[in-house]
mmCIF file of all heavy atoms in Angstrom:
data_model
loop_
_atom_site.group_PDB
_atom_site.id
_atom_site.type_symbol
_atom_site.label_atom_id
_atom_site.label_comp_id
_atom_site.label_asym_id
_atom_site.label_seq_id
_atom_site.Cartn_x
_atom_site.Cartn_y
_atom_site.Cartn_z
ATOM 1 N N ASP A 2 121.145 95.652 103.272
ATOM 2 C CA ASP A 2 122.328 96.484 103.184
ATOM 3 C C ASP A 2 123.494 95.847 103.848
ATOM 4 O O ASP A 2 124.637 95.948 103.425
ATOM 5 C CB ASP A 2 121.929 97.896 103.891
ATOM 6 C CG ASP A 2 120.947 98.670 103.140
ATOM 7 O OD1 ASP A 2 120.791 98.443 101.913
ATOM 8 O OD2 ASP A 2 120.264 99.597 103.692
ATOM 9 N N THR A 26 134.647 68.455 98.917
ATOM 10 C CA THR A 26 133.607 67.611 98.581
ATOM 11 C C THR A 26 133.955 66.667 97.444
ATOM 12 O O THR A 26 133.782 65.430 97.518
ATOM 13 C CB THR A 26 132.339 68.434 98.185
ATOM 14 O OG1 THR A 26 132.002 69.298 99.334
ATOM 15 C CG2 THR A 26 131.159 67.556 97.917
ATOM 16 N N ILE A 65 130.756 55.862 113.473
ATOM 17 C CA ILE A 65 131.513 56.819 114.172
ATOM 18 C C ILE A 65 131.318 58.272 113.901
ATOM 19 O O ILE A 65 131.169 58.576 112.664
ATOM 20 C CB ILE A 65 133.063 56.430 114.002
ATOM 21 C CG1 ILE A 65 133.937 57.161 114.997
ATOM 22 C CG2 ILE A 65 133.529 56.692 112.602
ATOM 23 C CD1 ILE A 65 135.364 56.697 114.945
ATOM 24 N N LEU A 70 136.321 61.016 114.374
ATOM 25 C CA LEU A 70 137.396 60.510 113.512
ATOM 26 C C LEU A 70 138.392 61.498 113.099
ATOM 27 O O LEU A 70 139.615 61.177 113.066
ATOM 28 C CB LEU A 70 136.607 59.947 112.240
ATOM 29 C CG LEU A 70 137.520 59.247 111.222
ATOM 30 C CD1 LEU A 70 138.236 58.067 111.818
ATOM 31 C CD2 LEU A 70 136.626 58.722 110.047
ATOM 32 N N ASP A 80 151.132 60.583 117.186
ATOM 33 C CA ASP A 80 151.743 59.875 118.258
ATOM 34 C C ASP A 80 152.253 58.536 117.831
ATOM 35 O O ASP A 80 153.137 57.886 118.363
ATOM 36 C CB ASP A 80 150.794 59.616 119.423
ATOM 37 C CG ASP A 80 150.463 60.875 120.132
ATOM 38 O OD1 ASP A 80 151.284 61.848 120.095
ATOM 39 O OD2 ASP A 80 149.381 61.035 120.838
ATOM 40 N N ILE A 85 149.875 63.619 108.789
ATOM 41 C CA ILE A 85 149.060 63.952 107.682
ATOM 42 C C ILE A 85 148.740 65.447 107.885
ATOM 43 O O ILE A 85 148.334 65.867 108.882
ATOM 44 C CB ILE A 85 147.774 63.135 107.693
ATOM 45 C CG1 ILE A 85 148.072 61.626 107.677
ATOM 46 C CG2 ILE A 85 146.957 63.477 106.447
ATOM 47 C CD1 ILE A 85 146.922 60.717 107.704
ATOM 48 N N GLU A 120 123.487 33.848 87.886
ATOM 49 C CA GLU A 120 123.541 32.444 87.514
ATOM 50 C C GLU A 120 123.711 32.095 86.099
ATOM 51 O O GLU A 120 124.428 31.253 85.690
ATOM 52 C CB GLU A 120 122.317 31.734 88.178
ATOM 53 C CG GLU A 120 122.229 31.832 89.753
ATOM 54 C CD GLU A 120 120.886 31.299 90.197
ATOM 55 O OE1 GLU A 120 120.097 30.829 89.395
ATOM 56 O OE2 GLU A 120 120.712 31.303 91.434
ATOM 57 N N ALA A 121 122.968 32.840 85.284
ATOM 58 C CA ALA A 121 123.057 32.731 83.885
ATOM 59 C C ALA A 121 124.401 32.998 83.354
ATOM 60 O O ALA A 121 124.949 32.243 82.505
ATOM 61 C CB ALA A 121 122.037 33.526 83.173
ATOM 62 N N PRO A 139 126.996 47.153 87.278
ATOM 63 C CA PRO A 139 126.434 48.200 86.474
ATOM 64 C C PRO A 139 124.911 48.461 86.788
ATOM 65 O O PRO A 139 124.441 49.585 86.848
ATOM 66 C CB PRO A 139 126.617 47.700 85.058
ATOM 67 C CG PRO A 139 127.855 46.854 85.118
ATOM 68 C CD PRO A 139 127.748 46.149 86.475
ATOM 69 N N ALA A 144 120.763 51.686 90.220
ATOM 70 C CA ALA A 144 119.724 51.715 91.215
ATOM 71 C C ALA A 144 120.020 52.623 92.391
ATOM 72 O O ALA A 144 119.092 52.825 93.242
ATOM 73 C CB ALA A 144 119.485 50.319 91.692
ATOM 74 N N PRO A 148 120.171 57.635 96.418
ATOM 75 C CA PRO A 148 120.973 57.711 97.674
ATOM 76 C C PRO A 148 122.315 58.205 97.645
ATOM 77 O O PRO A 148 122.804 58.810 98.521
ATOM 78 C CB PRO A 148 120.912 56.250 98.184
ATOM 79 C CG PRO A 148 120.603 55.391 96.974
ATOM 80 C CD PRO A 148 119.761 56.277 96.074
ATOM 81 N N LEU A 153 126.215 62.691 98.609
ATOM 82 C CA LEU A 153 127.034 63.719 98.092
ATOM 83 C C LEU A 153 126.597 65.110 98.798
ATOM 84 O O LEU A 153 127.539 65.865 99.225
ATOM 85 C CB LEU A 153 126.974 63.910 96.634
ATOM 86 C CG LEU A 153 127.782 65.029 95.950
ATOM 87 C CD1 LEU A 153 129.282 64.855 96.406
ATOM 88 C CD2 LEU A 153 127.696 64.918 94.463
ATOM 89 N N ALA A 155 125.126 65.467 101.743
ATOM 90 C CA ALA A 155 125.587 65.266 103.142
ATOM 91 C C ALA A 155 127.089 65.547 103.274
ATOM 92 O O ALA A 155 127.602 66.111 104.205
ATOM 93 C CB ALA A 155 125.135 63.934 103.696
ATOM 94 N N SER A 164 136.389 73.432 109.591
ATOM 95 C CA SER A 164 136.467 74.625 110.484
ATOM 96 C C SER A 164 137.201 74.268 111.847
ATOM 97 O O SER A 164 137.557 75.133 112.642
ATOM 98 C CB SER A 164 135.164 75.207 110.740
ATOM 99 O OG SER A 164 134.215 74.283 111.430
ATOM 100 N N SER A 184 134.063 91.092 113.259
ATOM 101 C CA SER A 184 133.139 92.179 113.034
ATOM 102 C C SER A 184 131.795 91.941 113.661
ATOM 103 O O SER A 184 131.564 90.834 114.260
ATOM 104 C CB SER A 184 132.978 92.388 111.532
ATOM 105 O OG SER A 184 132.284 91.357 110.895
ATOM 106 N N GLY A 202 123.624 72.514 97.347
ATOM 107 C CA GLY A 202 122.787 71.285 97.541
ATOM 108 C C GLY A 202 121.807 71.165 96.383
ATOM 109 O O GLY A 202 121.571 70.008 95.919
ATOM 110 N N LEU A 203 121.133 72.284 96.056
ATOM 111 C CA LEU A 203 120.084 72.170 95.044
ATOM 112 C C LEU A 203 120.794 71.892 93.577
ATOM 113 O O LEU A 203 120.201 71.051 92.840
ATOM 114 C CB LEU A 203 119.458 73.536 94.847
ATOM 115 C CG LEU A 203 118.522 73.902 96.037
ATOM 116 C CD1 LEU A 203 117.981 75.262 95.822
ATOM 117 C CD2 LEU A 203 117.384 72.924 96.038
ATOM 118 N N ILE A 218 116.302 52.267 85.524
ATOM 119 C CA ILE A 218 115.861 50.940 84.993
ATOM 120 C C ILE A 218 114.341 50.760 85.066
ATOM 121 O O ILE A 218 113.718 50.982 86.107
ATOM 122 C CB ILE A 218 116.454 49.860 85.918
ATOM 123 C CG1 ILE A 218 118.015 49.958 85.996
ATOM 124 C CG2 ILE A 218 116.049 48.445 85.398
ATOM 125 C CD1 ILE A 218 118.619 49.020 86.864
#
Side-chain angles (χ1 to χ4, degrees):
D2 290 340
T26 301
I65 189 172
L70 182 57
D80 292 338
I85 305 175
E120 294 175 1
L153 179 55
S164 63
S184 68
L203 290 175
I218 300 175

